[in-house]
Amino acid sequence: MALDGVYLSLLKKEFGCLLNGRVDKIHQPSREEIIIAVRTREEGLKRLLIATGSGSARIHFTTAEIENPKQPPMFCMLMRKHLSSGKLVNIRQDGYERILYLDFDASNEMGDIVRITLAVEIMGRRSNLLILNSEGRIIDSIKRVGQDVSSRPVLPGMTYEVPPREDKLSLTECDRADFEERIKAQPAQELSKGIMKTLEGISPVFARECAFFAGHGEELIIGNMTSDHFDRLWFYVGRVREGLENALNKFTVIKTKEGSLKDFCFCEINQYGGLMVTKFFASPSELLDYFYSERDALSRTKQKAQDLFRLLANTIERTERRVQNQKIELSECAEREKFRQYGDLIMANLYGLEKGMTELEAYNFYLEENPLVKIPLDKRLTPTQNAQKYYKEYRKLDTAEKKLRELISAGEEEVKYLDTVFDALTRAQTEGDIGELRNELAEQGYVKRGKFKGKPPKAMPPLKFRSSEGYEIRVGRNNKQNDMLTCKQAEKSDIWLHVKDITGCHVIISCPKTENGKANSVSDEMPPDRTIEEAAVIAAYYSKGKNSSRVDVDYTFIRNVKKPNGAKPGMVIFTHNYTITVKPDEELVKSLAVQ
């Protein structure tokens, strides 16, 4: 997936409302992201997000609440120095090149008005954000590129060089003759790849859509195309051009049936048929904000919690390996009965044994078939000592089996617990959430307790939702919140939900109270089926089965949920439960959320 030049041109049109606006604030949430807040008289405050990550390079308006670091990075401080209160006077794009230039008039140290340009290069792994002075020299860039890395170095003080432009046709300006001539010059090429080499600033998904329309869904080799194929191809190109000129675009996101984001485009996409689900947006920024917000939230969390992810992954792997070895040892303990029988048989045949014998051949009265058995003897020991040796081995294995069963059970419980922490960490949104998980691991002895400078980051409260029938639904963000909701805050008549057999959050449906204000602890009245189903969808969404097509969710009254003594955070047992099967639905979950 890539933000192509045509899509960038539509963003440029959308950004037109910022012209003559003033820079209000500048933040840098992560190493490769900048947010510029621009205030205008007509639109008020608009937040412009510029991201230069190789897999998520883009520029668009954003409404997402992104947490900023306590200390701004040096590049952010430099941008504030040069752009604070600057006025945006122009937005430029060369054809459908994937570079956008934002021209600002700002004051320098002497109070003079100078021209500062931001060059936003959306070019995959070479994406960058550069600050240029009025002479076209690089003040600095969010990514510095040395001469040993690229033939086009990007370093402070150097003259800015525009990347070389490819010889391709413009989607909105080319005529049919030139277009077909370029296409036909590649007879052995697939049509979609030929279109990619012909038109400037288009993405692979758009090229495939053109080929899909021209071939009625069949893959076409350019040399085998008929005049009807070229007619259909040009008709589709013309229809897209009309949409671009008249602002009739359908900004489309493509998702799998499981809800995973696949791709996006500035026009409707039909090439996947029923294999994919499409979702439309009113503006290019709205689409990008939706598409990347969840992915980037996870990426930012992973950056801030790399050590915890690594610790949890290593600890889980190490514990699973230890449990596996213990299970192998346990299987070896199955022979312990044989040693007890050998001891009994030796004691039963003492009359025929003497020191120095190496073997006893006797009838095994424990077996009905093939009772004859040969028992090895140590010639250095007396018969009684040989029997005691086998009894000792039996007791050793018997004790080992009991201990190993305890260790295996504890190890499996530890893996389950660590898996819940790992799952909660993938959903953490703020430094406070990460800090709360770090404290939980410190309390359990997995990490050393850290020292905060000043006040520690504040964790976010439990998630809140409202069912379509008005019932309040609360969701714990981590194990500690799960315990708080389930064991302390919930009433006995409330409903508790959790995904079956996999990690996930505790979900509580708050049931109405009686007239005297006390919860009716003896009532067996369940909330309406629709509310239970909606709460189950929420439980499935906030679990490890988020991307599954179907998820089983258990639910019961809170009074049937207990926390065993000494159990780790978030671990409970429950009885008298029912099970419902639902499909995780992101749109439903977001529609029920209480802001």
Side-chain angles (χ1 to χ4, degrees):
M1 60 196 78
L3 197 160
D4 58 37
V6 177
Y7 201 106
L8 191 60
S9 71
L10 297 170
L11 287 166
K12 172 178 172 285
K13 291 180 181 178
E14 186 181 17
F15 298 157
C17 65
L18 297 180
L19 291 175
N20 296 318
R22 294 277 181 183
V23 175
D24 187 71
K25 293 180 180 178
I26 300 175
H27 296 291
Q28 188 173 355
S30 66
R31 187 168 55 89
E32 297 178 330
E33 288 179 320
I34 286 288
I35 293 179
I36 304 175
V38 180
R39 188 176 296 278
T40 64
R41 289 186 178 180
E42 295 79 12
E43 299 290 334
L45 192 68
K46 287 279 191 178
R47 297 164 71 236
L48 193 64
L49 171 65
I50 303 172
T52 59
S54 59
S56 57
R58 65 198 188 277
I59 175 172
H60 61 86
F61 290 135
T62 183
T63 57
E65 293 298 327
I66 303 175
E67 189 176 26
N68 296 306
K70 293 181 179 179
Q71 295 296 327
M74 290 300 297
F75 185 77
C76 178
M77 297 294 288
L78 185 67
M79 286 196 66
R80 290 176 180 177
K81 173 185 174 182
H82 289 281
L83 290 180
S84 289
S85 300
K87 182 168 73 172
L88 180 62
V89 294
N90 196 16
I91 305 173
R92 299 176 284 121
Q93 183 185 16
D94 185 11
Y96 287 134
E97 282 287 277
R98 290 182 297 166
I99 306 176
L100 211 59
Y101 301 98
L102 309 178
D103 295 328
F104 293 87
D105 281 346
S107 300
N108 61 13
E109 296 89 339
M110 304 298 294
D112 299 326
I113 301 298
V114 295
R115 176 63 54 88
I116 300 293
T117 299
L118 292 185
V120 185
E121 300 180 346
I122 311 294
M123 299 185 295
R125 60 185 179 85
R126 295 187 298 274
S127 299
N128 211 339
L129 170 63
L130 302 92
I131 310 173
L132 311 177
N133 64 18
S134 57
E135 299 173 352
R137 290 190 175 276
I138 301 172
I139 297 174
D140 207 345
S141 60
I142 202 167
K143 297 179 185 176
R144 294 184 180 182
V145 182
Q147 294 179 339
D148 56 332
V149 176
S150 172
S151 57
R152 178 179 170 261
V154 177
L155 295 170
M158 299 186 69
T159 301
Y160 175 70
E161 295 182 7
V162 179
R165 188 172 177 181
E166 295 181 278
D167 181 25
K168 292 184 179 181
L169 300 177
S170 168
L171 173 65
T172 54
E173 297 177 3
C174 67
D175 57 34
R176 178 169 180 171
D178 289 341
F179 178 68
E180 288 191 11
E181 182 182 353
R182 293 281 190 103
I183 294 289
K184 290 177 179 178
Q186 310 168 68
Q189 195 73 263
E190 289 182 18
L191 179 56
S192 61
K193 294 181 179 178
I195 295 172
M196 282 290 295
K197 293 183 178 180
T198 299
L199 294 178
E200 178 186 41
I202 63 168
S203 62
V205 68
F206 174 73
R208 291 195 300 269
E209 189 66 18
C210 293
F212 173 82
F213 188 89
H216 296 280
E218 297 180 7
E219 290 188 5
L220 294 176
I221 303 299
I222 294 173
N224 299 332
M225 290 176 62
T226 64
S227 58
D228 180 56
H229 290 141
F230 280 106
D231 287 341
R232 287 182 60 80
L233 177 59
W234 185 250
F235 173 80
Y236 184 78
V237 170
R239 192 170 74 180
V240 172
R241 288 166 66 157
E242 182 181 355
L244 292 171
E245 292 170 3
N246 300 317
L248 301 175
N249 310 95
K250 281 191 173 183
F251 300 102
T252 308
V253 162
I254 310 151
K255 302 168 67 176
T256 64
K257 290 184 176 180
E258 291 74 31
S260 299
L261 297 166
K262 176 73 174 178
D263 214 327
F264 62 86
C265 194
F266 56 85
C267 63
E268 189 172 358
I269 300 297
N270 299 304
Q271 59 192 269
Y272 297 104
L275 298 176
M276 297 285 176
V277 178
T278 55
K279 181 179 176 66
F280 302 110
F281 293 85
S283 72
S285 284
E286 187 181 344
L287 182 153
L288 294 178
D289 205 24
Y290 166 83
F291 191 90
Y292 286 104
S293 59
E294 184 174 334
R295 274 186 27 171
D296 283 0
L298 179 58
S299 175
R300 277 189 292 270
T301 301
K302 285 185 175 180
Q303 286 182 13
K304 294 174 182 176
Q306 279 287 351
D307 60 327
L308 290 186
F309 277 111
R310 189 163 51 249
L311 169 74
L312 289 169
N314 292 340
T315 307
I316 290 172
E317 181 184 1
R318 187 168 59 250
T319 306
E320 287 178 337
R321 189 165 57 246
R322 186 180 69 237
V323 168
Q324 188 61 35
N325 291 335
Q326 289 169 346
K327 287 181 177 179
I328 294 173
E329 291 180 36
L330 181 63
S331 66
E332 295 172 355
C333 294
E335 296 185 354
R336 72 189 187 285
E337 285 297 324
K338 180 182 72 174
F339 295 113
R340 184 179 66 82
Q341 292 175 11
Y342 282 1
D344 290 346
L345 292 173
I346 292 172
M347 295 300 293
N349 290 276
L350 282 176
Y351 63 90
L353 297 174
E354 59 184 26
K355 186 176 181 180
M357 295 180 67
T358 60
E359 186 179 75
L360 165 65
E361 187 171 350
Y363 285 95
N364 188 349
F365 43 77
Y366 289 101
L367 300 177
E368 294 181 2
E369 298 180 0
N370 302 321
L372 195 62
V373 63
K374 292 182 179 180
I375 303 173
L377 300 175
D378 189 336
K379 64 182 181 181
R380 297 169 300 178
L381 303 177
T382 65
T384 303
Q385 288 174 331
N386 270 293
Q388 292 302 321
K389 176 184 175 183
Y390 280 116
Y391 284 139
K392 183 178 180 181
E393 189 65 26
Y394 164 76
R395 289 193 297 271
K396 176 183 175 182
L397 291 177
D398 188 56
T399 303
E401 181 183 29
K402 294 176 183 176
K403 189 64 177 177
L404 282 170
R405 290 190 185 279
E406 293 176 4
L407 292 173
I408 289 171
S409 177
E412 289 175 342
E413 287 299 315
E414 183 179 9
V415 169
K416 287 181 183 178
Y417 167 70
L418 292 173
D419 206 17
T420 64
V421 180
F422 191 95
D423 184 47
L425 191 58
T426 62
R427 290 192 297 271
Q429 297 178 350
T430 67
E431 288 187 23
D433 290 340
I434 297 170
E436 196 168 62
L437 290 170
R438 197 182 297 276
N439 284 338
E440 179 183 334
L441 289 172
E443 290 173 1
Q444 298 301 315
Y446 292 101
V447 297
K448 293 182 179 179
R449 190 176 295 276
K451 294 182 179 179
F452 291 104
K453 293 182 179 179
K455 290 184 178 180
K458 187 178 180 181
M460 298 180 72
L463 297 163
K464 287 188 179 181
F465 300 85
R466 182 77 60 184
S467 76
S468 53
E469 281 131 342
Y471 286 77
E472 183 184 67
I473 301 171
R474 291 170 290 168
V475 180
R477 294 176 184 268
N478 51 54
N479 288 322
K480 281 194 169 183
Q481 285 192 5
N482 288 338
D483 278 351
M484 182 66 67
L485 284 176
T486 301
C487 304
K488 294 185 178 181
Q489 295 180 354
E491 304 288 351
K492 290 184 178 181
S493 59
D494 291 346
I495 304 300
W496 179 88
L497 301 95
H498 193 280
V499 286
K500 188 180 184 70
D501 298 331
I502 57 175
T503 58
C505 298
H506 292 202
V507 177
I508 305 295
I509 303 175
S510 298
C511 295
K513 296 182 179 181
T514 57
E515 292 182 2
N516 60 8
K518 296 181 179 180
N520 188 353
S521 60
V522 297
S523 173
D524 286 329
E525 185 178 348
M526 283 278 183
D529 291 345
R530 186 175 179 184
T531 292
I532 292 177
E533 184 177 351
E534 289 172 347
V537 170
I538 293 171
Y541 182 77
Y542 289 101
S543 77
K544 205 172 182 178
K546 174 181 177 180
N547 295 321
S548 302
S549 57
R550 309 296 289 176
V551 177
D552 290 336
V553 179
D554 292 327
Y555 65 98
T556 186
F557 287 101
I558 278 288
R559 61 175 175 267
N560 299 324
V561 182
K562 309 294 181 186
K563 186 172 182 65
N565 291 332
K568 290 186 178 293
M571 299 297 179
V572 295
I573 55 175
F574 55 94
T575 57
H576 301 85
N577 60 289
Y578 305 91
T579 302
I580 182 174
T581 303
V582 296
K583 179 181 180 181
D585 188 338
E586 182 181 9
E587 292 186 12
L588 175 62
V589 171
K590 290 185 175 179
S591 69
L592 299 176
V594 176
Q595 300 298 329

